[in-house]
Amino acid sequence: MIKELKVDAIKCGTVIDHIPPGKVFKVIDLLGIGENDQVMIGTNLSSPKHGRKDVIKIENRYLSVEEINSVSLVARSATISIIEDFKPCKKTKIEIPDVLKGILVCPNRHCVTNSEPVVTVFDVEAKDPLSIRCRYCERVFGEEIGKANSL
Ligand SMILES: [Zn+2]
């Protein structure tokens, strides 16, 4: 018998829901969630729409646009809710942006971004499957960019 586990509500912060099962720890890595953050994690919860899902609730933390964009690379089906006083007050469906700035490290070791202190910029040419082009070395990378950056 499998029952949905309820993850406790948080007073204020961010809830990232509908993360593909097993990807929650990648999201934690990406967001640099550390020992001092108060988080609640649910994995393999049943979801009426998507079968199984992971959920993470982060107390007292709001995500920047860059952070939301980076989450989109590992969990494009995720939704982000901002919680105020135990109530969701804003819900956003995340989407891979057209430009990824300062999120990824270029996998091309000879790329100038790996030797000079410049912010990486990738233009997203296709989202499914992912295809992105480094604006500095013009190399194109696919889904493997995630692995190269230990996403
Ligand atoms: Zn590059």
Side-chain angles (χ1 to χ4, degrees), residues 43-79:
T43 59
N44 271 313
L45 306 180
S46 58
S47 151
K49 262 196 240 158
H50 303 278
R52 296 270 155 197
K53 65 172 185 179
D54 288 357
V55 177
I56 180 167
K57 301 190 180 193
I58 315 160
E59 188 99 47
N60 296 322
R61 175 141 174 205
Y62 303 97
L63 302 182
S64 67
V65 173
E66 288 76 21
E67 287 172 325
I68 291 172
N69 289 347
S70 59
V71 170
S72 74
L73 293 174
V74 295
R76 62 187 69 179
S77 58
T79 54

Side-chain angles (χ1 to χ4, degrees), residues 10 20 38 41-42 50-51 89 99 108 110-111 118 120:
I10 56 172
Q38 293 181 55
I41 298 162
H50 303 278
C89 66
V99 177
N108 173 10
H110 305 292
C111 181
V118 288
T120 60

Side-chain angles (χ1 to χ4, degrees), residues 9-13 59-60 62 83-87:
I10 56 172
K11 184 164 189 279
C12 53
E59 188 99 47
N60 296 322
Y62 303 97
I83 310 296
E84 298 283 1
D85 213 11
F86 296 106
K87 286 190 204 82

Side-chain angles (χ1 to χ4, degrees), residues 106 111 113 134 137:
C106 184
C111 181
T113 57
C134 174
C137 66

